[in-house]
Amino acid sequence: MSATSAEKYTIRFIHAEEWPAVKELRLASLQDPLAHVAFLETYEQAVSRPDSFWQERAAGGAEGSLGVRQVIAEGADGTWVGSVTVLIEEAGSEDWAGMTVERLQGHLVGVYVRPEVRGSGLAERLFGVAVEWAWSRDVERVRLIVHEENPRAQAFYRKVGFVPSGRTVPVAGQGGQSELEFVLDRP
């Protein structure tokens, strides 16, 4: 697939009523061969969640939300082929790993692009919109966490300007495995 094929997709924020598509794309991401090092939940956990969970998740990350935004790539036929979610983390709050957030920052999570469109430039477009939205919220930096055994993702994050901060997060229940923090400072 050529790099220009990424231009066939619309990059936008989700709407609350699109919860079925939020659910479908998340379930697809959790069936990826690298899901075990990319996401903090399993397919089995996610598929068992009630519709009310997906409705709340979509509403929380929809256009208009100030603390969370989910960005998606949508084909002309309405199919969602990629997503990234931005969380705004307030200084002094506690993050998902129980660590104190040191500064106002964006945190990218749930990064996924369907295999058939990987390498097309679509992930770069998703990240561009996500990071720009984070900057619009006056964050000092944007960060993400990546498993130490996910070199493909690490290479992509470096390609789009993120660098390792040196901070590691132990993976709960994974016997000594760690995740690495990558950061992008505000220009």
Side-chain angles (χ1 to χ4, degrees):
M1 192 171 282
S2 70
T4 58
S5 67
E7 297 169 9
K8 296 179 192 175
Y9 298 94
T10 300
I11 309 298
R12 65 174 180 82
F13 300 116
I14 67 164
H15 302 283
E17 66 274 8
E18 295 176 310
W19 68 267
V22 169
K23 177 180 178 179
E24 188 280 326
L25 190 61
R26 180 62 173 185
L27 294 177
S29 72
L30 293 171
Q31 292 177 23
D32 189 274
L34 288 177
H36 68 286
V37 295
F39 302 109
L40 296 176
E41 72 178 334
T42 65
Y43 175 83
E44 292 74 19
Q45 291 167 325
V47 77
S48 69
R49 297 187 191 280
D51 286 348
S52 60
F53 170 85
W54 299 103
Q55 291 163 354
E56 290 172 21
R57 184 175 186 145
E63 189 165 20
S65 170
L66 298 178
V68 180
R69 285 283 178 94
Q70 184 174 355
V71 182
I72 57 103
E74 180 179 34
D77 64 356
T79 302
W80 290 10
V81 295
S83 177
V84 61
T85 298
V86 187
L87 312 173
I88 301 300
E89 297 177 322
E90 299 287 338
S93 66
E94 191 174 286
D95 71 10
W96 64 273
M99 297 161 58
T100 301
V101 174
E102 298 172 359
R103 63 191 64 135
L104 179 63
Q105 61 191 12
H107 186 160
L108 303 183
V109 299
V111 178
Y112 179 70
V113 173
R114 292 187 192 268
E116 63 270 19
V117 294
R118 289 181 187 158
S120 69
L122 197 54
E124 288 90 338
R125 289 186 62 211
L126 284 164
F127 264 61
V129 170
V131 168
E132 281 303 313
W133 181 77
W135 295 149
S136 80
R137 302 291 302 133
D138 294 325
V139 301
E140 296 177 40
R141 72 176 190 175
V142 178
R143 75 172 181 154
L144 53 85
I145 308 294
V146 60
H147 198 283
E148 64 187 351
E149 294 179 13
N150 195 346
R152 182 183 79 193
Q154 290 178 41
F156 170 75
Y157 300 145
R158 282 185 173 94
K159 178 181 174 184
V160 295
F162 285 77
V163 295
S165 70
R167 189 174 189 186
T168 61
V169 180
V171 179
Q174 296 295 317
Q177 293 183 12
S178 293
E179 294 198 308
L180 312 172
E181 180 185 64
F182 277 54
V183 298
L184 178 66
D185 288 322
R186 187 177 191 93

